[in-house]
Amino acid sequence: MPELVFFSGTMDCGKSTLALQIGHNRSARGLQGVIFTRDDRAGEGKLSSRLGLVTEAVEARPDMDLYGYLVGQMSKGAKVDYVIVDEAQFLAPDQIDQLARVVDDLDLDVFAFGITTDFRTKLFPGSQRLIELADRIETLQVEAMCWCGARATHNARTVGGEMVVEGEQVVVGDVNRSPEEVGYEVLCRRHHRRRMTSAAAHAGALSPDVLPVNPA
């Protein structure tokens, strides 16, 4: 039976890499799929992983009917065997409903990849709807790590290296941006609560108020 599967995890846990791998495995068996993405770091109409892999994709704009797009392509003779959606957290709830309809009415597997919560630890509307509708939810097994070495569970937005907790829910950035830009960092819950990024921890270690270390 076709399924709507939601693969979730923090940034840096390999979601886009797995999406590309699923597409590769199916194309190697002669299957053809449609890849949707939204606001990928590589630019419009791209699905990219931090390992450097990039493929073409369909940009799922906010007003796009994903079900209608697929029906239109299939009506023109296009072969569609499965659907992959990256950055699914950015989709509107009604677009998630459309993906569920793709599974139920077109009998296609839909593999959606996304992070669950934003930099404020609030659910993205798209992710919330996926949790409500998905046939199956898979947590990525590749664990991202906080700067302290603990398992990273939260996404932090940084500006100038400092964590911020206010602003628009969606601001495109990346974990590899320079400190002066809007960027993101994965943290454990403890350091997210304390707003202690790797830059803040480094500055704290250089503070003259730290305990002295005995060279002996």
Side-chain angles (χ1 to χ4, degrees):
M1 291 290 292
E3 289 185 305
L4 172 57
V5 187
F6 180 31
F7 294 90
S8 68
T10 62
M11 295 178 294
D12 261 355
C13 72
K15 295 183 301 300
S16 297
T17 301
L18 180 58
L20 288 164
Q21 185 68 54
I22 287 177
H24 170 76
N25 290 351
R26 279 160 176 72
S27 65
R29 297 295 180 267
L31 301 177
Q32 297 181 29
V34 172
I35 300 175
F36 292 109
T37 190
R38 169 82 64 81
D39 293 335
D40 188 272
R41 68 184 72 86
E44 184 172 310
K46 302 288 184 183
L47 167 56
S48 67
S49 81
R50 293 192 176 88
L51 298 182
L53 304 172
V54 183
T55 192
E56 298 297 320
V58 178
E59 187 73 15
R61 295 183 175 84
D63 59 348
M64 185 178 189
D65 182 339
L66 306 184
Y67 176 85
Y69 175 88
L70 291 168
V71 169
Q73 294 298 303
M74 296 169 75
S75 298
K76 297 175 185 176
K79 184 175 184 287
V80 181
D81 298 304
Y82 62 92
V83 177
I84 290 173
V85 185
D86 198 30
E87 307 293 358
Q89 72 274 5
F90 295 147
L91 298 185
D94 64 332
Q95 290 177 311
I96 304 301
D97 289 350
Q98 293 159 16
L99 293 177
R101 188 181 179 191
V102 168
V103 175
D104 296 339
D105 294 356
L106 302 182
D107 291 328
L108 300 177
D109 282 314
V110 175
F111 307 101
F113 298 80
I115 59 179
T116 308
T117 57
D118 63 16
F119 69 105
R120 301 165 300 185
T121 71
K122 304 297 184 183
L123 283 169
F124 281 100
S127 298
Q128 178 177 333
R129 193 61 178 145
L130 274 166
I131 292 170
E132 293 166 346
L133 291 182
D135 298 294
R136 184 157 48 94
I137 299 173
E138 299 283 350
T139 301
L140 273 290
Q141 298 303 308
V142 177
E143 294 184 351
M145 296 179 66
C146 178
W147 60 264
C148 69
R151 177 172 174 262
T153 54
H154 291 65
N155 306 297
R157 179 182 295 170
T158 61
V159 177
E162 295 186 3
M163 180 175 157
V164 296
V165 293
E166 295 180 354
E168 295 292 328
Q169 186 175 52
V170 179
V171 175
V172 178
D174 197 9
V175 296
N176 296 319
R177 295 290 181 93
S178 66
E180 294 74 22
E181 299 180 87
V182 173
Y184 291 90
E185 182 175 349
V186 287
L187 299 172
C188 63
R189 185 182 62 220
R190 174 180 299 176
H191 288 124
H192 191 280
R193 287 180 56 244
R194 296 177 180 176
R195 303 188 189 182
M196 185 173 288
T197 64
S198 56
H202 178 68
L206 296 179
S207 168
D209 296 328
V210 298
L211 294 174
V213 177
N214 187 341

